[in-house]
Amino acid sequence: MTLVLLLIVTFASGLLAYGLSRRYPSPMVEQAPARAAKEVIQTEARRHPWLERTLRQRLDPAAATGLALTLALAVVSVGLFVLGVLAYLTRSSETLADLDAAVGQWGVDNASAWATTGLDWLTQLGDTWVCIAIAVVVAVVEMIRVPSRWVPVFLGVVIAGSVVIVNTAKELLDRVRPEFNPIAETLGPSFPSGHAAMAAAFWAAVALVLARRRSPRVRALLTAGAVAIAVTVAGTRVLLGVHWLSDTIAGLAFGWAWFSLVAIAFGGRLLQLGAPVAAATRDVARAHTS
């Protein structure tokens, strides 16, 4: 029952991510920003040149620092807000404590031997050493497909930062693990979930790297896969009884925020640090003609 429910949630989250990704505008050279709203704002933009410049800089999907940067900053802001709120509520809210306990107890009551085995396998997708091994493979493959010296550095920063920051937060907050699974007490502090954070950050990074010079459909599928894996790992931590539900939500929020922050530093999906619009559009044009 637990594994079936997790697969349903995973499929739903992946489908949602795919739908949202398909709505993300594909980068096209000379594409005007905010096309759907252009008729509404063009009069004001003509009257105020600074407004037009701002829109082009912040909403143009052809720019490496345009729409992708704006969305990434939004993810960072929301992720850190969610993390902060949950960190506060874990120490002050009885309602959250009751919800955490109820979800954890449900997982214990509906666990089965075969489901637990499946959960044990799936949770490894958020293990640090597994992610490092996969990162090496991805880096090698991508260095052959679309060479860039920033690919291994980017993946390394995502992994290393996630480990260091999450472990630091755990030590500072020092939340007690649930008692549903005896092994939990040997794993250190509980909040936020390191596996959930790693899965969210790492698989998003992998999707971004693999998405370079891919079609919109492939990019959407990669995004859906990254989200589905992250949600799966988060669910396994709760259903295995080693984390509270709020731990995993906080882990996901941090992981996606950290990924977005690093992606901003490395120039978005083009993986070009500080790439100007001219360079970005040239690469996009080359990608569409190749």
Side-chain angles (χ1 to χ4, degrees):
M1 180 64 179
T2 56
L3 188 56
V4 172
L5 177 62
L6 179 61
L7 292 177
I8 293 174
V9 173
T10 296
F11 178 79
S13 61
L15 188 63
L16 176 62
Y18 177 81
L20 293 175
S21 297
R22 289 289 288 171
R23 294 179 64 86
Y24 182 83
S26 299
M28 299 290 291
V29 179
E30 303 297 337
Q31 182 177 9
R35 179 170 297 179
K38 186 175 182 180
E39 293 181 2
V40 179
I41 64 173
Q42 64 181 3
T43 301
E44 289 299 316
R46 288 171 182 169
R47 291 174 54 191
H48 305 287
W50 63 268
L51 177 58
E52 184 176 4
R53 288 196 301 270
T54 299
L55 289 171
R56 287 187 178 278
Q57 292 170 358
R58 305 302 294 178
L59 299 177
D60 189 355
T65 54
L67 182 58
L69 173 59
T70 301
L71 293 178
L73 287 173
V75 172
V76 171
S77 300
V78 172
L80 294 180
F81 175 77
V82 171
L83 181 63
V85 169
L86 287 175
Y88 171 76
L89 291 178
T90 55
R91 294 178 176 272
S92 62
S93 174
E94 293 185 4
T95 301
L96 182 62
D98 291 341
L99 176 62
D100 278 339
V103 174
Q105 189 62 54
W106 182 90
V108 172
D109 293 340
N110 291 275
S112 63
W114 67 271
T116 300
T117 300
L119 294 173
D120 282 331
W121 278 96
L122 290 172
T123 204
Q124 298 305 313
L125 293 173
D127 179 78
T128 299
W129 291 107
V130 171
C131 290
I132 290 174
I134 295 173
V136 171
V137 174
V138 170
V140 171
V141 171
E142 286 300 297
M143 288 293 286
I144 296 173
R145 186 179 73 88
V146 186
S148 171
R149 66 181 183 276
W150 294 110
V151 169
V153 180
F154 172 70
L155 294 174
V157 170
V158 169
I159 293 174
S162 181
V163 171
V164 172
I165 298 175
V166 167
N167 286 336
T168 300
K170 283 185 175 184
E171 293 300 325
L172 291 174
L173 297 171
D174 197 27
R175 189 185 191 189
V176 177
R177 295 258 183 175
E179 299 178 351
F180 304 116
N181 189 334
I183 198 175
E185 63 179 298
T186 68
L187 301 177
S190 187
F191 184 94
S193 167
H195 275 68
M198 179 62 73
F202 172 71
W203 289 103
V206 169
L208 186 148
V209 170
L210 295 178
R212 295 176 305 150
R213 302 189 185 180
R214 303 285 191 184
S215 68
R217 180 184 294 275
V218 173
R219 290 200 299 268
L221 287 172
L222 288 169
T223 300
V227 171
I229 291 174
V231 172
T232 297
V233 172
T236 63
R237 305 311 286 169
V238 177
L239 297 176
L240 288 171
V242 295
H243 271 293
W244 303 107
L245 175 63
S246 55
D247 296 340
T248 61
I249 295 175
L252 291 176
F254 168 79
W256 283 322
W258 174 245
F259 156 75
S260 298
L261 189 62
V262 179
I264 289 172
F266 280 81
R269 63 179 155 190
L270 295 176
L271 286 185
Q272 293 182 347
L273 187 61
V277 174
T281 54
R282 283 198 302 271
D283 282 359
V284 172
R286 190 180 303 115
H288 278 272
T289 57
S290 61

